[in-house]
């Protein structure tokens, strides 16, 4: 009876844990979840290594494994290993958020990894390359893959009304190609790692890409050519007069003032962003290696505020640069200038500042 009771409890716990995290075909992942809930971190780490080694993990399963590997390493006070797992996780899913409420020893390396991915622009993506010449290929390119994760691409193709067919091709210099199976096909692709786990995808079976072979006739009509310009009658000289210089100079002053204001505000937000980020990364640590004085909620709030301030600072710097260029241009062009067309050519008159 005792053995039966323990079996029922274990089965119920595994079922509830699977419902909380989502179903998976990986046999080691449910055990790793249970060991983590029981605070048996060393055993959970081994189960997660086994789960990661399984071939053909789906993308959601891979992301969960990487998250739990980072959590377990953090709880075992292995910050470098936790940071590495979180870097891989956030390269694949830059907007990923931890599913649990964890201690600072887990949250700190997570935010360090998020900052690293953001600073390097390391988010992994798969892009389709245009077909050129007589090529009858579907080609994709991996960018930027700073961790060198991609190994092959699995292409899915179908003609209208037909089923999907698969073909896997290795990456060569960050690219992979497959022959198009028909003049017009729907297709999508998945980037795989060395264990054939899905890293990212381009399109899906419910939202595929369309492709037309080179030289095929599209059903979309070509645009009509634009009408040729009509030449003026002899003796007629159309004249274009620029407005007096005063309005342009006024707009120039406004643009330059806008540039100064936007630049100053952007600089202020940039300083505040760096300060908030420094509070998360530089949180004090006690003798046991635990971060003190900063809760997970505070860390999430500081990180969100720092990223928002940095984004607005970059926008304002761009506005300041554009306004400065516009203001300088309008200042130079602020004098009245007349432009007229004659049979001999174009005549420009006036005085530049």
């Amino acid at each position: 009876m005792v053995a039966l009771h323990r079996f029922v409890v274990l089965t119920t716990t595994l079922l509830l844990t699977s419902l909380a995290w989502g179903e998976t075909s990986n046999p080691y992942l449910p055990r790793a979840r249970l060991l983590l809930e029981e605070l048996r971190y060393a055993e959970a780490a081994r189960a997660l290594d086994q789960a990661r080694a399984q071939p053909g993990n789906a993308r959601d399963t891979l992301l969960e494994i990487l998250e739990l590997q980072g959590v377990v390493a953090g709880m075992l006070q292995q910050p470098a290993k936790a940071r590495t797992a979180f870097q891989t996780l956030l390269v694949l899913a830059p907007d990923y958020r931890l599913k649990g409420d964890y201690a600072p020893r887990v949250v700190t390396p997570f935010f360090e990894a998020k900052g690293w991915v953001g600073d390097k622009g390391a988010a992994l993506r798969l892009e389709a390359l245009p077909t050129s010449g007589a090529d009858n290929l579907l080609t994709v390119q991996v960018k930027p893959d700073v961790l060198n994760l991609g190994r092959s691409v699995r292409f899915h193709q179908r003609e209208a009304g037909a089923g999907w067919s698969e073909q896997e091709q290795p990456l060569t210099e960050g690219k992979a190609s497959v022959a198009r199976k028909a003049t017009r096909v729907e297709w999508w692709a998945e980037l795989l790692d060395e264990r054939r786990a899905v890293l990212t995808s381009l399109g899906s079976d419910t939202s595929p890409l369309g492709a037309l072979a080179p030289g095929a006739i599209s059903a979309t009509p070509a645009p009509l050519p634009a009408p040729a310009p009509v030449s003026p009658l002899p003796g007629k000289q159309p004249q274009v007069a620029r407005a007096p210089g005063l309005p342009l100079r006024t707009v120039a002053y406004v643009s330059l003032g806008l540039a100064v204001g936007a630049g100053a505000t952007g600089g202020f937000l940039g300083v505040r962003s760096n300060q908030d980020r420094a509070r998360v990364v530089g949180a004090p640590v006690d003798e046991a290696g635990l971060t003190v004085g900063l809760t997970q909620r505070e860390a999430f709030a500081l990180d969100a505020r720092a990223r928002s301030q940095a984004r607005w600072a970059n926008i304002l710097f761009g506005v300041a640069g554009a306004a400065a260029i516009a203001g300088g241009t309008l200042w130079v062009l602020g004098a009245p200038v007349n432009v007229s067309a004659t049979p001999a050519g174009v005549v420009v008159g006036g005085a530049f500042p």
Side-chain angles (χ1 to χ4, degrees):
M1 292 297 294
V2 174
L4 178 61
H5 175 72
R6 292 185 62 184
F7 173 77
V8 171
V9 171
L10 178 61
T11 304
T12 304
T13 304
L14 287 173
L15 176 61
L16 294 176
T17 304
S18 297
L19 291 175
W21 283 90
E23 295 296 334
T24 175
S25 59
N26 191 309
Y28 296 99
L29 189 51
R31 173 173 170 76
R33 295 170 183 161
L34 180 60
L35 292 170
L36 180 59
E37 290 184 0
E38 295 177 350
L39 308 184
R40 297 159 64 182
Y41 299 124
E43 296 176 68
R46 290 192 289 271
L48 289 169
D49 288 339
Q50 291 174 313
R52 181 71 177 90
Q54 290 296 297
N57 281 320
R59 174 177 162 83
D60 290 342
T61 301
L62 175 61
L63 296 182
E64 182 184 345
I65 292 172
L66 292 170
E67 176 186 358
L68 295 183
Q69 283 183 322
V71 169
V72 169
M75 298 306 293
L76 290 173
Q77 299 189 30
Q78 300 171 343
K81 188 174 181 179
R83 192 161 46 247
T84 298
F86 287 142
Q87 283 176 347
T88 305
L89 169 67
L90 293 166
V91 161
L92 302 181
D95 297 328
Y96 197 91
R97 295 178 65 90
L98 294 175
K99 290 187 175 68
D101 188 12
Y102 298 110
R105 69 176 78 176
V106 173
V107 177
T108 297
F110 177 81
F111 281 115
E112 290 175 347
K114 182 179 280 290
W116 178 85
V117 172
D119 292 341
K120 289 188 173 294
L124 186 68
R125 61 188 185 275
L126 197 60
E127 298 179 351
L129 295 183
T131 303
S132 61
D135 291 340
N136 193 33
L137 301 175
L138 301 174
T139 304
V140 295
Q141 182 176 19
V142 181
K143 288 186 176 182
D145 202 7
V146 296
L147 298 180
N148 194 27
L149 300 173
R151 291 293 182 272
S152 62
V153 175
R154 184 161 57 211
F155 291 88
H156 305 259
Q157 293 188 65
R158 73 177 179 188
E159 300 180 58
W164 291 105
S165 62
E166 297 181 3
Q167 187 173 352
E168 187 173 329
Q169 292 292 333
L171 281 173
T172 303
E173 297 181 354
K175 299 178 183 179
S177 300
V178 68
R180 189 193 323 265
K181 293 184 176 298
T183 301
R184 183 184 294 274
V185 295
E186 291 182 326
W187 67 284
W188 59 288
E190 297 171 296
L191 178 64
L192 310 179
D193 69 359
E194 60 186 358
R195 302 179 185 90
R196 303 183 72 247
V198 179
L199 302 176
T200 188
S201 61
L202 176 65
S204 67
D205 57 346
T206 58
S207 181
L209 287 71
L212 188 67
I217 300 176
S218 173
T220 304
L224 296 176
V230 180
S231 302
L233 295 175
K236 299 292 185 178
Q237 298 181 3
Q239 190 149 346
V240 180
R242 178 168 297 173
L246 182 58
L248 289 182
R249 285 290 177 86
T250 302
V251 177
Y253 288 131
V254 174
S255 297
L256 293 173
L258 175 62
V260 173
T265 306
F268 172 76
L269 291 177
V271 172
R272 290 295 303 273
S273 174
N274 290 334
Q275 291 174 346
D276 289 342
R277 178 65 62 82
R279 287 186 61 190
V280 176
V281 177
V285 180
D286 61 14
E287 294 82 358
L290 302 179
T291 303
V292 296
L294 190 65
T295 66
Q296 181 181 0
R297 185 183 300 276
E298 292 172 338
F300 271 111
L302 285 172
D303 179 72
R305 188 169 65 188
R307 295 174 71 85
S308 176
Q309 289 171 339
R311 181 168 56 253
W312 278 108
N314 291 334
I315 292 174
L316 288 172
F317 286 143
V319 171
I325 293 173
T329 302
L330 292 173
W331 174 267
V332 172
L333 300 179
V337 179
N338 294 325
V339 181
S340 60
T342 69
V346 177
V347 176
V348 179
F352 287 99

